[in-house]
Amino acid sequence: MGFPLIGETLSFFVTSNSIDMHPFVNERLKRYGPLFKTNIAGRPVAVSSDPEFNYFVLQLKGKLIELYYVDSFSQTVHNDNLRNLGGYFQRYLRRSILRHFGHEPLKRKLLSEFEDVINHELHKWTNLPEVDVKRQTVPMLFDLTSQILMSHKPEKNLGEDLNNMLQSIMTFPLYIPGTAFYKCIQKKRKAIKLTTWVLEERMKGYSYDNSAEGCNKKGDFLDEIVGDIGKEAFLTKEFVPFLLFGLLLATVETISPTTTLATMYLLDNPSALQQLTEEHEEILKNREGANSGLVWEEYKSMTFTRYVINETLRLENLLPGMLRKVIADIHVDGYTIPKGWILLVMPTALHLNPNIYEDPLTFNPSRWKNIGSNGMAKNFIPYGGGDRPCAGAEFSKVLMAVFLHVWVTKFRFTKIEGGT
């Protein structure tokens, strides 16, 4: 359990740029096995890379475990501490997100909007001497998400402020000038100023009567939230700006690095890039109208594209793991994980396990041809597990698929030293 009070915190927050597992986890897996205990930031934590145990416990969310946020994330996203928001809020938020980012809006309108925006952005890239894919995709994703959330296109610099912000959040929460966390909080304040202004403008003249003439409604996510202020106790004028910021951050800082990694892996693997290109050229060839855009049936036919996205997600090592709070004693293998402890589920330990994935550090999209749904349920959890994975999972996969489609059918990237 490490040193008194701080436990093994210093080792946990060591930065790792390796594709392999975080050294903190790797060392302890070898020493203790797939389920071990530690102490991080003064809190007892059980760390699990056991697929059977993870599958079991994630199925019982709300009974054995609930969502948990590290202090740095709570302080960054909401000053009143996100951990005080219970399961009802999480269910409410999930339903609201799916109504605007889920299957139906994706199929009805977002797919074609994605294609238009990405095509426009990549065309602008052609005028640049070189492109940092991670940095360039951040403002694009920020604009897209802002439009869906609150029908607002913010200034360019605000989107760029979110670049690498998630990595700053996952540092030790020292609010001292010069630290990554301090800079993160400063950027947050700038974003909160925007979302507060948007909320105030939306609430001016807002009518709860849909038939009212001139009512200030856009039909977006924010409309739904504003309509429920006063009905739901957790939705206050103070909290909503933080909620909007949190959703913007979660979208931008997860999809952008994944898209960048997919680009890098494909440029390093010409045969995989060729297979991907052929799949998308076949889609164009089978279209009735040469100038028509992507439709849902074409997206669903992108088999190898799904393999590429899955393989990128498997290799991605964006976060140290999924944090959950234990709300009832969990008994496993003769041990007890006590109520009140934190459970850290390690997707990377599963995704890079050589007993599950042959040659696990190699980018090989074709491996997914032979992986069935049962194997994926237990051994592939980039969006969480259980019956309620991340509400934005399909949104992110569709967006990445459209990015890949536009890239390989209309543009060519050449990798240069130090990046793409």
Side-chain angles (χ1 to χ4, degrees):
M1 300 293 280
F3 297 105
L5 298 179
I6 65 170
E8 297 187 295
T9 305
L10 298 179
S11 299
F12 180 76
F13 281 109
V14 170
T15 302
S16 172
N17 295 318
S18 170
I19 190 178
D20 206 344
M21 282 180 287
H22 193 288
F24 173 88
V25 176
N26 215 1
E27 292 169 10
R28 285 152 186 80
L29 281 175
K30 293 175 181 177
R31 192 183 307 171
Y32 304 119
L35 188 61
F36 61 88
K37 67 180 180 179
T38 183
N39 182 310
I40 300 171
R43 291 181 175 83
V45 179
V47 181
S48 173
S49 64
D50 184 297
E52 297 295 332
F53 175 74
N54 292 344
Y55 182 78
F56 162 74
V57 77
L58 290 172
Q59 293 289 331
L60 295 173
K61 187 165 66 177
K63 297 179 180 178
L64 293 179
I65 58 172
E66 65 182 13
L67 285 175
Y68 178 82
Y69 305 93
V70 295
D71 289 345
S72 52
F73 186 79
S74 297
Q75 292 176 40
T76 304
V77 176
H78 186 224
N79 290 337
D80 290 338
N81 202 327
L82 275 168
R83 286 172 294 167
N84 294 329
L85 299 173
Y88 176 76
F89 163 75
Q90 292 154 13
R91 291 189 294 272
Y92 169 90
L93 183 60
R94 178 182 175 80
R95 289 193 300 268
S96 299
I97 291 172
L98 289 174
R99 275 193 285 270
H100 298 275
F101 292 81
H103 179 85
E104 287 306 317
L106 285 166
K107 184 177 179 180
R108 186 177 67 254
K109 63 172 184 174
L110 294 181
L111 179 71
S112 59
E113 290 180 9
F114 290 169
E115 185 177 21
D116 290 342
V117 170
I118 293 170
N119 185 57
H120 177 71
E121 287 296 317
L122 265 63
H123 183 72
K124 289 197 302 185
W125 291 6
T126 62
N127 297 317
L128 300 174
E130 62 183 45
V131 173
D132 180 327
V133 177
K134 172 70 163 62
R135 184 171 292 279
Q136 293 297 136
T137 52
V138 165
M140 177 184 72
L141 290 166
F142 189 79
D143 289 353
L144 265 173
T145 310
S146 296
Q147 195 64 33
I148 300 168
L149 283 174
M150 50 190 184
S151 302
H152 180 81
K153 187 174 181 179
E155 59 178 281
K156 181 181 179 182
N157 289 342
L158 192 56
E160 293 177 349
D161 280 346
L162 296 188
N163 190 35
N164 296 324
M165 197 170 186
L166 198 57
Q167 295 299 326
S168 298
I169 291 174
M170 296 309 297
T171 59
F172 199 75
L174 287 175
Y175 188 65
I176 298 173
T179 63
F181 185 69
Y182 180 88
K183 295 175 183 177
C184 180
I185 293 296
Q186 299 305 307
K187 291 177 180 179
K188 178 207 72 170
R189 288 175 177 168
K190 184 177 176 181
I192 294 298
K193 186 177 180 180
L194 167 73
T195 53
T196 300
W197 177 83
V198 172
L199 174 64
E200 290 172 349
E201 289 297 305
R202 183 66 60 88
M203 295 187 73
K204 291 178 181 177
Y206 184 90
S207 174
Y208 291 90
D209 180 2
N210 290 326
S211 63
E213 196 171 324
C215 64
N216 191 14
K217 291 190 175 181
K218 308 282 187 183
D220 54 17
F221 176 87
L222 183 56
D223 261 359
E224 182 176 343
I225 297 300
V226 170
D228 286 340
I229 290 178
K231 300 177 185 177
E232 303 290 354
F234 49 78
L235 290 178
T236 64
K237 295 176 185 178
E238 294 74 29
F239 175 69
V240 170
F242 288 90
L243 174 62
L244 293 171
F245 166 70
L247 292 173
L248 283 167
L249 179 65
T251 303
V252 170
E253 275 289 72
T254 54
I255 300 177
S256 177
T258 308
T259 304
T260 305
L261 284 173
T263 306
M264 182 189 73
Y265 290 140
L266 287 165
L267 289 172
D268 286 341
N269 292 268
S271 61
L273 180 57
Q274 180 62 32
Q275 281 184 265
L276 182 73
T277 302
E278 289 172 359
E279 177 172 88
H280 288 271
E281 288 178 342
E282 188 68 19
I283 288 173
L284 299 183
K285 181 180 176 182
N286 293 332
R287 278 185 186 165
E288 294 183 5
N291 296 321
S292 60
L294 269 174
V295 296
W296 192 251
E297 290 71 23
E298 291 173 340
Y299 164 69
K300 297 300 287 184
S301 72
M302 297 177 183
T303 303
F304 190 76
T305 304
R306 286 197 298 276
Y307 294 165
V308 168
I309 293 171
N310 283 350
E311 186 69 347
T312 304
L313 290 168
R314 185 186 69 81
L315 287 169
E316 185 179 53
N317 191 5
L318 182 63
L319 293 173
M322 296 182 289
L323 290 163
R324 299 293 184 266
K325 185 174 183 178
V326 179
I327 57 176
D329 287 356
I330 301 175
H331 304 283
V332 52
D333 295 337
Y335 294 94
T336 299
I337 303 175
K339 177 182 177 180
W341 276 41
I342 306 305
L343 176 65
L344 178 60
V345 175
M346 300 295 302
T348 306
L350 296 176
H351 298 167
L352 301 181
N353 187 334
N355 296 321
I356 299 172
Y357 298 99
E358 184 180 353
D359 199 5
L361 298 181
T362 299
F363 178 76
N364 177 20
S366 296
R367 75 169 79 242
W368 294 92
K369 290 180 183 178
N370 303 316
I371 299 177
S373 57
N374 289 336
M376 289 182 66
K378 294 184 179 181
N379 300 318
F380 184 61
I381 52 173
Y383 296 107
D387 58 351
R388 292 182 181 177
C390 171
E394 189 167 19
F395 175 86
S396 65
K397 286 187 280 190
V398 171
L399 212 162
M400 285 188 284
V402 176
F403 178 88
L404 295 174
H405 172 78
V406 174
W407 165 25
V408 300
T409 58
K410 295 186 178 182
F411 301 91
R412 291 293 179 266
F413 293 169
T414 301
K415 186 174 180 179
I416 61 175
E417 185 177 355
T420 56

